[in-house]
Amino acid sequence: MTTPLEEWASGDAYEQFMGRWSGEIARLFMDWLQPAVGLSWLDMGCGTGALSRAISATTEAKIIVGIDPSLDFLRYAGHRLPAMCLATADASALPITDNTFDLCVSGLALNFVPEPEIALRELARVVKPGGVVAVYIWDYADKMEYLRYFWDAASDLDTKARSLHEGNRFPICNPQTLMELWSDSGLRDVVVHPLDARMMFDDFDSYWLSFTSGSFPAPQYALSLGTRERELLRDHLQKTIPAEDDGSIHLLARAWAVRGIKAPG
Ligand SMILES: C[S@@+](CC[C@H](N)C(=O)[O-])C[C@H]1O[C@@H](n2cnc3c(N)ncnc32)[C@H](O)[C@@H]1O
């Protein structure tokens, strides 16, 4: 069971912290998924709508329904994509009848549901026989380097940071566990695939800047430190994160995508 450290209170704050990358990874997911046109979609944990927008931009969907517990995120999503249908709901108990959607998808959200296997069971319940359940989540423990370098440096200096490190908090975010979860839930033809986006910062200061405000665990942790400890973290991170000769920082942002098909009825 994960600790709910994320607040999901402000769509604006989320977009500033993660919006650039969530949009890119959503487009990579759609390239990989290669869906047919005219299908019905459920976007679980749609948040500010990154994946729903990518669905809308890359395929002619019949309908896109987004569910999320955060009203503020849903407002943000509805503003950006007025055509989508929105509802506040928890992934563990979807207010949706069985066999409703052609595809049930989710971007960067499954690890935040306290019991991901229950959410997956729900997605498999509401997808039609022959339909697809497909999800992607960051590779926090390894190639989501933007966050991993931060938490590795913090954990070197402070044992408390180890329990906040998302690589430790979210053990489902690896290909073996995803393969097992999907196969154990009865989905067929399961495939796991890496989605690799690139993150580029002109210099260390612009990388560090993203951890100096916001309500997400990494900036929250940095802001919770005293001035001296924060300076030590900044210095240690600057020494440990790889930089190019010109000072720019190029990072990999990998998400693991998984898909499976519900047995035809
Ligand atoms: C990192 S954001 C991802 C948002 C969006 N899908 C994206 O790709 O940018 C995680 C989302 O999961 C949602 N979430 C957290 N717990 C949830 C739950 N139990 N059921 C459904 N969604 C949940 C949050 O409200 C938030 O919008």
Side-chain angles (χ1 to χ4, degrees), residues 8 14 22 44-47 50 67-70 73 89-91 107-109 112-114 136:
W8 313 124
Y14 177 76
S22 61
M44 184 283 276
C46 66
I67 68 103
D68 200 287
S70 167
F73 277 39
D90 189 307
L108 310 177
F112 295 110
V113 182
Y136 57 96

Side-chain angles (χ1 to χ4, degrees), residues 47-48 73-84 86:
T48 51
F73 277 39
L74 287 176
R75 278 201 203 99
Y76 201 106
H79 184 67
R80 293 207 302 188
L81 191 60
M84 73 184 287
L86 297 166

Side-chain angles (χ1 to χ4, degrees), residues 2-3 6 110-113 137-138 140-141 164-174 217:
T2 55
T3 319
E6 290 74 16
L110 186 64
N111 53 295
F112 295 110
V113 182
I137 46 186
W138 290 124
Y140 289 102
L164 298 172
H165 194 314
E166 283 137 326
N168 299 326
R169 287 180 57 213
F170 300 130
I172 71 158
C173 295
N174 73 79

Side-chain angles (χ1 to χ4, degrees), residues 104 117 119-135 178-191 258-264:
C104 289
E117 57 289 351
L120 177 57
R121 201 188 307 149
E122 281 292 87
L123 294 177
R125 177 180 69 75
V126 303
V127 79
K128 291 177 186 170
V132 170
V133 178
V135 162
L178 288 175
M179 176 60 86
E180 280 165 24
L181 266 179
W182 255 243
S183 303
D184 292 350
S185 69
L187 294 163
R188 297 182 176 177
D189 300 329
V190 180
V191 181
V258 56
R259 62 195 284 178
I261 298 173
K262 181 167 171 177

